[in-house]
Amino acid sequence: MTDSSSALVQERAAVADACRRLGAAGLLIGTAGNVSVRVGDRVAVTATGAVLAQLTADQVTVVDLDGKAVAGTLRPTSELDLHLGIHRRHGAGAVVHTHAPMATALSCVLDELPCIHYQLLALGGTVRVAPYATFGTPELAESVLTALDGRSAALLANHGSVTLGATLDQAVENALLLEWACGVYQHAAAIGTPRVLGEQQQRAVIEAAIARNYGTTQSLEEGKP
């Protein structure tokens, strides 16, 4: 087995693991949603019709960047063009698409999810809502690709959400973060009008995060003179 073949075996298993994790977190229901990870010029992607919360590695198909199946026995997701487009245009290592409850609910009423909490900056700030288009169509793929410009997440109007990451773990974490942020917005909006962080406040957060190595563990010796 070549190194690339071995990597794809591992990534098919990793995609299945990611789907089960997303299902356990309540972001996936039934066969709705899809996940992919890229290894070189190959993409491991969930099969159409598979129950994602119970996914197994043999329900992950490997395709080339033109969408031709090169490993596996099942047809890939109907959103294959969307996944391949994101991998090609945005250089994603992995893509997660879900019909997560909070994200889907907000996609039905908002034109964008504003930056109401600084953790949204990890996704690029304000999350755009791609205009509605029928699932699996080139129109949907193109609108999502545009919504993702400069972002790691987008909502799909009356449909769901998409996140990307350099790695599969990061794409999954971004999906979990987006769903959390959508829940925070929904709860805040039920009480009143959510405050939005302005550009200056967002810049201050970025500067503070860089200065403090925010989000990474640090020894007690770090920063000592």
Side-chain angles (χ1 to χ4, degrees), residues 102-196:
M102 288 296 182
T104 303
L106 294 193
S107 80
C108 295
V109 296
L110 295 182
D111 294 322
E112 65 177 23
L113 173 63
C115 189
I116 57 168
H117 192 283
Y118 64 82
Q119 282 190 264
L120 274 168
L121 293 173
L123 302 177
T126 298
V127 178
R128 304 183 187 105
V129 179
Y132 180 79
T134 304
F135 76 91
T137 60
E139 292 78 13
L140 176 64
E142 185 57 37
S143 68
V144 175
L145 289 176
T146 299
L148 282 170
D149 282 339
R151 301 289 189 272
S152 297
L155 296 177
L156 287 58
N158 301 81
H159 184 156
S161 67
V162 167
T163 59
L164 59 85
T167 65
L168 184 54
D169 282 344
Q170 186 179 60
V172 170
E173 288 296 332
N174 285 345
L176 296 169
L177 173 57
L178 177 60
E179 181 70 355
W180 171 84
C182 287
V184 170
Y185 182 91
Q186 189 273 337
H187 290 304
I191 300 169
T193 301
R195 286 189 295 271
V196 177

Side-chain angles (χ1 to χ4, degrees), residues 63-132:
V63 301
D64 62 21
L65 293 177
D66 292 322
K68 180 181 178 181
V70 296
T73 61
L74 301 176
R75 291 180 59 188
T77 173
S78 58
E79 299 291 6
L80 180 60
D81 286 346
L82 171 62
H83 283 260
L84 295 180
I86 294 173
H87 285 294
R88 287 192 297 254
R89 177 161 159 178
H90 295 294
V95 179
V96 169
H97 167 47
T98 78
H99 296 179
M102 288 296 182
T104 303
L106 294 193
S107 80
C108 295
V109 296
L110 295 182
D111 294 322
E112 65 177 23
L113 173 63
C115 189
I116 57 168
H117 192 283
Y118 64 82
Q119 282 190 264
L120 274 168
L121 293 173
L123 302 177
T126 298
V127 178
R128 304 183 187 105
V129 179
Y132 180 79

